[in-house]
């Protein structure tokens, strides 16, 4: 008696990622899918028949990638800023002279929901073309009630319309809006009293994020935002210790945050707390690269403390116009010293955990069949090639995605 499946993928080198730190390789493995979930993974077996068989000989099969930190809904562009930086201006100087985040906020406020949607949809497709099946999208270029809600509605629509799973984060506490430059506490009050409750009523966010930094919000202000989030049942995450050590890692751990992101300046104590809380440390090599910053996150200390490490694109117009998780993995290795296996775990299992998912990010029976098939036959190759279009097939919940038919 044979068991009938929907799809069988045969002949690939399978990186199951079932065990932390290891590829969990199966040479010439077989993966069976039924009803969008993985029903078999193991050596070739004659036990199964399938409606469709994918011959994957000579290819690498991994879990589809997860990008757990993006700011991909925005209007306007920052190419003039980019050119100024190439002539020597710094990110901070550009921000002070009216460019930077402020210009993106002005353009985003002026854009309709449909305009924002049309601008953002191709960016999700670019990520999918690098093997991504799950993407987090933050607000944070509205900084007022209406625009923050509009950005999140756009993110929700992207999730409804595109094959990828979208998770949304309210990042109203991204930077202080011009209207509140003299009174950032009043802006925090607006976030806690109006924005978070409105987002909760409409079910627009899956988590609440904030930016703790001298140029953004103090730990005391972040606490208020986190408490308002938890009051409506939303988990939190934090842009922590990116430019200085404000105790962001410890703060994220204290609130049981899903993730603490950046961490370039995190202290050993902060990292120990992240590990104890099970908060994922998300590394963002694209921003350091695009801004040409030398500072590296304390990867050795993260390993020693036992922090689970994820890697994300941070796709945004100012510090990381990076729309490839494949390149994010490569940069995590070359710039930050991750091993290729750590980078792949960081872009799958650990990134899924950073979004609160336990149903994806590894190839195991019962997990979602979000799978990426690559035109390489050796797992470390994925983080070795810079920018080669290596994706051969992307399956999301067991369905092969036609990337040419998703928005361009
Ligand atoms: N961290 C970042 O890298 C982006 N925001 C943040 O909190 C930068 C956003 C931008 O420059 O537009
Ligand atoms: Fe960010």
């Amino acid at each position: 008696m044979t068991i009938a499946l929907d799809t069988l993928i045969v002949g690939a080198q399978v990186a199951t990622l079932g065990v932390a730190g290891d590829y969990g390789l199966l040479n010439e493995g077989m993966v069976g899918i039924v009803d969008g979930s993985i029903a078999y993974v193991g050596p070739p077996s004659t036990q199964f028949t399938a409606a469709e068989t994918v011959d994957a000989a000579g290819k690498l099969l991994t879990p589809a990638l997860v990008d757990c930190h993006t700011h991909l809904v925005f209007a306007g562009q920052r190419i003039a800023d980019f050119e100024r930086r190439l002539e020597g201006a710094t990110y901070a100087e550009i921000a002070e002279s009216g460019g930077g985040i402020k210009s993106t906020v002005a353009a985003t406020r002026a854009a309709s929901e449909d305009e924002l949607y049309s601008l953002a949809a191709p960016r999700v497709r670019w990520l999918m073309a690098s093997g991504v099946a799950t993407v987090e999208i933050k607000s944070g270029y509205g900084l007022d009630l209406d625009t923050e809600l509009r950005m999140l509605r756009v993110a929700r629509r992207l999730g409804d319309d595109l094959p990828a799973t979208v998770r949304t984060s309210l990042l109203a506490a991204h930077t202080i809006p011009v209207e509140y430059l003299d009174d950032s506490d009043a802006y925090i009050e607006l976030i806690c009293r109006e924005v978070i409750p409105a987002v909760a009523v409409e079910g627009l966010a899956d988590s609440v994020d904030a930016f703790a930094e001298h140029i953004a919000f103090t730990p005391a202000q972040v606490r208020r935002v986190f408490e308002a989030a938890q009051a409506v049942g939303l988990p939190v995450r934090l842009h922590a210790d990116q430019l200085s050590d404000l105790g962001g890692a410890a703060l994220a751990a204290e609130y049981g945050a899903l993730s603490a992101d950046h961490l370039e300046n995190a202290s050993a104590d902060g990292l120990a707390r992240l590990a104890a809380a099970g908060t994922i440390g998300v590394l963002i090599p694209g921003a350091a690269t695009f801004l040409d910053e030398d500072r590296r996150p304390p990867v050795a200390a993260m390993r020693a403390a036992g922090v689970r490490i994820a890697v994300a694109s941070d796709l945004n117009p100012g510090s990381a116009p990076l729309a490839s998780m494949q390149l994010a993995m490569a940069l995590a290795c070359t710039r930050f010293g991750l091993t290729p296996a750590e980078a792949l775990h960081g872009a799958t299992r650990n990134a899924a955990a950073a979004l609160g998912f336990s149903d994806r990010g590894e190839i195991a029976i019962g997990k979602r069949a979000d799978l990426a098939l690559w035109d390489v036959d050796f797992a470390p190759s994925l983080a070795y090639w810079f920018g080669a279009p290596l994706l051969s097939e992307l399956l999301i919940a067991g369905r092969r995605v036609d990337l040419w038919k998703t928005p361009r």
Side-chain angles (χ1 to χ4, degrees):
M1 247 249 329
T2 55
I3 300 167
L5 302 178
D6 298 331
T7 309
L8 271 177
I9 303 172
V10 295
Q13 180 178 75
V14 182
T16 62
L17 302 190
V19 180
D22 191 82
Y23 290 115
L25 287 182
L26 268 174
N27 286 314
E28 294 185 24
M30 186 159 119
V31 173
I33 300 169
V34 84
D35 291 337
S37 295
I38 295 167
Y40 176 79
V41 52
S45 164
T46 51
Q47 218 188 330
F48 304 105
T49 58
E52 183 190 30
T53 299
V54 180
D55 176 6
K59 300 189 185 202
L60 172 71
L61 185 72
T62 69
L65 306 184
V66 176
D67 192 350
C68 65
H69 180 146
T70 84
H71 309 248
L72 66 76
V73 173
F74 61 86
Q77 43 81 6
R78 304 257 286 277
I79 294 176
D81 292 2
F82 173 53
E83 290 179 322
R84 280 183 62 195
R85 267 200 311 107
L86 294 176
E87 286 161 9
T90 65
Y91 185 76
E93 283 164 2
I94 290 166
E96 278 155 22
S97 66
I101 291 189
K102 275 195 212 97
S103 66
T104 301
V105 171
T108 303
R109 286 178 175 179
S112 70
E113 190 177 313
D114 286 345
E115 284 163 348
L116 288 173
Y117 180 93
S118 311
L119 289 164
R123 298 170 190 149
V124 177
R125 179 191 168 273
W126 297 340
L127 287 171
M128 287 168 60
S130 76
V132 169
T134 302
V135 58
E136 185 257 17
I137 303 177
K138 303 175 192 300
S139 68
Y141 291 122
L143 312 180
D144 61 29
L145 176 66
D146 283 356
T147 317
E148 288 293 309
L149 295 181
R150 190 157 73 253
M151 289 183 74
L152 292 173
R153 286 190 201 112
V154 169
R156 281 280 187 250
R157 270 176 65 191
L158 293 167
D160 290 343
D161 296 353
L162 299 176
T165 303
V166 170
R167 276 287 175 265
T168 59
S169 300
L170 173 71
L171 178 58
H174 188 190
T175 189
I176 302 164
V178 281
E179 300 82 7
Y180 289 91
L181 279 183
D182 298 332
D183 193 358
S184 57
D185 280 334
Y187 180 56
I188 293 291
E189 186 76 10
L190 174 82
I191 294 173
C192 297
R193 290 248 177 133
E194 291 186 40
V195 184
I196 290 175
V199 161
V201 165
E202 251 188 86
L204 287 175
D206 302 307
S207 72
V208 172
D209 195 349
F211 188 17
E213 196 53 67
H214 292 296
I215 56 163
F217 299 97
T218 64
Q221 290 174 323
V222 170
R223 280 175 189 282
R224 292 183 56 199
V225 172
F226 280 4
E227 272 156 32
Q230 291 185 341
V232 296
L234 287 173
V236 300
R237 61 180 73 253
L238 186 65
H239 282 67
D241 304 330
Q242 180 182 1
L243 308 171
S244 58
D245 177 13
L246 278 190
L251 180 61
E254 183 186 330
Y255 284 85
L258 286 169
S259 69
D261 302 42
H262 287 286
L263 298 173
E264 277 85 341
N265 297 280
S267 66
D269 171 64
L271 296 177
R273 288 170 196 253
L274 286 184
T279 297
I280 307 290
V282 180
L283 303 185
I284 311 275
T289 305
F290 190 70
L291 298 181
D292 198 20
E293 281 164 357
D294 294 331
R295 180 123 200 139
R296 288 168 167 224
V299 170
M302 290 175 81
R303 288 185 189 122
V307 177
R308 285 178 68 185
I309 298 173
V311 174
S313 72
D314 198 16
L315 173 39
N316 77 69
S319 66
L322 168 61
S324 164
M325 276 301 289
Q326 213 189 299
L327 191 50
M329 284 193 288
L331 293 173
C333 295
T334 52
R335 299 281 307 215
F336 289 173
L338 260 56
T339 66
E342 283 176 322
L344 186 56
H345 275 270
T348 54
R349 251 171 92 100
N350 293 349
L355 297 180
F357 286 117
S358 55
D359 66 344
R360 64 197 70 188
E362 70 180 282
I363 302 181
I365 291 174
K367 302 284 178 189
R368 251 172 85 96
D370 284 3
L371 300 166
L373 190 63
W374 307 92
D375 285 326
V376 293
D377 60 1
F378 185 51
S381 306
L382 269 190
Y384 165 81
W385 288 102
F386 263 57
L390 299 178
L391 187 73
S392 166
E393 290 278 357
L394 179 65
L395 284 84
I396 300 186
R399 285 171 185 259
R400 288 163 90 159
V401 174
D402 185 346
L403 285 167
W404 301 107
K405 287 202 183 138
T406 53
R408 307 175 60 74

